[in-house]
Amino acid sequence: MSLTRESVLAALKSITDPISGSDIVSAGVMRALTVEGAEVRFVLEIDPASAEAYGPVRDAAEKVVTDLAGVDKVSALLTGHAAKSAPPDLKPSKPAQPQGPQKIPGVDRIIAVASGKGGVGKSTVSANLACALAAEGRRVGLLDADVYGPSQPRMLGISGRPASPDGKTILPMRNHGVTMMSIGLMTNEDQAVVWRGPMLMGALQQMMMQVQWGALDVLIVDLPPGTGDVQMTLAQKAEVDGAIVVSTPQDVALIDARKGIDMFNQLHVPILGMIENMSTHICSNCGHEEHVFGHGGVVAEAAKLNVPLLAEVPLHLDVRLASDGGAPIVVSKPDSPQAQVFRNVAQDLIKRGAA
């Protein structure tokens, strides 16, 4: 049986945190878990005053992972931080007072990645684009604004809860050169977010304005599918420099992609381009190319709407496996043709001054 992120997490949950009494995963001590092939890396982030107590914990965590089938190498690091208060509550009792678009402190540019329809790979594109921009030397942040279906913690291999130095601002998490914030870091992976619109909009504003993003060249915002509250809140509360619309080639996806483009036009957000995801599939055994979802639909739509076609991303098993494993294809297999597609998009955006 191949090594999985779930099996590693299950093993680490058997290790007790000496301070809280719960396991080290639930306590938020275990951070930045990465599983790449037979190699496992993670960090135990602790209060330096408790370093002596956590030495045996690190050894036990390293051993329990080393004993897993399929593991060849384990890297478990102890890192210290000052004790911080819990992150602020992201459930405001009432919506924030209306304000016009504002610059997010420290962020030069904001790029929204959207799709009219769910299931077209928008979050995968967002994660790989963020990592590709980071690989090009840009200071990159990724805001997972898909509040009801947050997936970026899994895709970037980030676990644990973010801290807060003052109970008001939030310290985001970081991996693969990308600074990330997601509601998924505040909830359990199998816990549903059951919020109405005002609560959702208030939480989004907090994740934009009350997170210590630091100095970023670009913040990628992974939007939920559709044309609803989150999209409107983003455009009305933050200065969005451009949007990328992701679609698969078939007509049913393009119908919704058109609505997404129309929404951004109404909100006066420039369209940076379209990406055709799952464009073609090449059999890994025989090399036969097959257009599972049709071909050229996004190409034709981009030409019709007079917006750039940024990329045609192939449907490939490695892209899915890399995302599920917490190391996007740009990071796990940077020299692969699939990774190069995202690198090309990143280079194009930098050249145009959009990122």
Side-chain angles (χ1 to χ4, degrees), residues 4-44:
T4 66
R5 179 182 173 84
E6 287 74 16
S7 62
V8 175
L9 284 172
L12 290 172
K13 286 181 179 179
S14 68
I15 306 300
T16 301
D17 174 45
I19 303 300
S20 68
S22 62
D23 65 84
I24 59 175
V25 176
S26 301
V29 173
M30 195 283 299
R31 305 282 182 96
L33 173 63
T34 302
V35 180
E36 295 182 0
E39 183 176 352
V40 179
R41 298 189 299 273
F42 59 91
V43 171
L44 300 182

Side-chain angles (χ1 to χ4, degrees), residues 7-353:
S7 62
V8 175
L9 284 172
L12 290 172
K13 286 181 179 179
S14 68
I15 306 300
T16 301
D17 174 45
I19 303 300
S20 68
S22 62
D23 65 84
I24 59 175
V25 176
S26 301
V29 173
M30 195 283 299
R31 305 282 182 96
L33 173 63
T34 302
V35 180
E36 295 182 0
E39 183 176 352
V40 179
R41 298 189 299 273
F42 59 91
V43 171
L44 300 182
E45 188 170 335
I46 63 169
D47 185 340
S50 304
E52 185 174 346
Y54 278 96
V57 173
R58 188 203 73 86
D59 294 341
E62 187 174 61
K63 183 179 186 306
V64 77
V65 175
T66 301
D67 290 343
L68 290 175
V71 175
D72 289 341
K73 182 178 180 182
V74 178
S75 174
L77 301 178
L78 272 181
T79 182
H81 67 79
K84 303 178 180 70
S85 57
D89 187 5
L90 289 180
K91 297 183 180 181
S93 57
K94 60 181 180 180
Q97 293 299 315
Q99 294 180 355
Q102 304 175 61
K103 292 286 289 185
I104 296 179
V107 177
D108 287 343
R109 304 173 190 84
I110 299 176
I111 296 177
V113 179
S115 66
K117 185 176 180 61
V120 299
K122 165 190 54 60
S123 294
T124 300
V125 169
S126 298
N128 278 284
L129 180 57
C131 291
L133 286 166
E136 294 296 322
R138 311 305 285 171
R139 298 169 298 178
V140 184
L142 177 57
L143 172 58
D144 187 355
D146 194 348
V147 177
Y148 292 127
S151 56
Q152 292 303 341
R154 166 65 67 91
M155 291 189 174
L156 289 182
I158 294 176
S159 56
R161 289 174 63 87
S164 173
D166 54 10
K168 296 179 181 179
T169 56
I170 308 170
L171 299 178
M173 312 289 271
R174 184 175 174 84
N175 201 15
H176 307 311
V178 177
T179 302
M180 190 273 286
M181 182 61 200
S182 169
I183 196 68
L185 297 173
M186 303 291 198
T187 61
N188 295 327
E189 196 170 51
D190 56 354
Q191 179 182 350
V193 177
V194 187
W195 291 352
R196 293 189 183 275
M199 297 169 66
L200 182 151
M201 290 184 286
L204 177 62
Q205 290 180 63
Q206 284 182 279
M207 287 196 294
M208 288 191 296
M209 300 300 180
Q210 291 179 230
V211 169
Q212 293 186 11
W213 289 108
L216 297 181
D217 295 311
V218 59
L219 176 66
I220 304 294
V221 182
D222 179 16
L223 289 170
T227 56
D229 287 339
V230 172
Q231 289 83 349
M232 292 180 62
T233 299
L234 175 67
Q236 292 171 352
K237 300 300 180 182
E239 295 182 7
V240 183
D241 296 276
I244 295 172
V245 177
V246 180
S247 178
T248 48
Q250 76 268 39
D251 290 343
V252 70
L254 286 167
I255 290 171
D256 291 334
R258 294 184 195 108
K259 295 175 183 177
I261 291 174
D262 182 60
M263 172 194 67
F264 285 120
N265 288 334
Q266 292 186 46
L267 295 173
H268 307 293
V269 175
I271 303 296
L272 297 176
M274 297 183 71
I275 290 179
E276 182 174 273
N277 197 25
M278 309 181 203
S279 177
T280 186
H281 175 257
I282 298 178
C283 178
S284 57
N285 290 323
C286 68
H288 172 68
E289 181 177 9
E290 188 171 17
H291 302 289
V292 179
F293 297 106
H295 183 65
V298 178
V299 178
E301 193 67 25
K304 176 183 175 182
L305 298 174
N306 196 29
V307 299
L309 177 70
L310 297 177
E312 295 175 89
V313 183
L315 176 64
H316 198 281
L317 179 61
D318 285 348
V319 177
R320 196 273 297 171
L321 291 175
S323 295
D324 284 351
I329 193 77
V330 168
V331 174
S332 59
K333 294 187 176 181
D335 297 325
S336 67
Q338 297 78 32
Q340 189 58 49
V341 172
F342 294 109
R343 293 288 294 268
N344 291 342
V345 175
Q347 292 165 4
D348 179 47
L349 292 174
I350 294 171
K351 183 177 180 181
R352 292 160 55 185

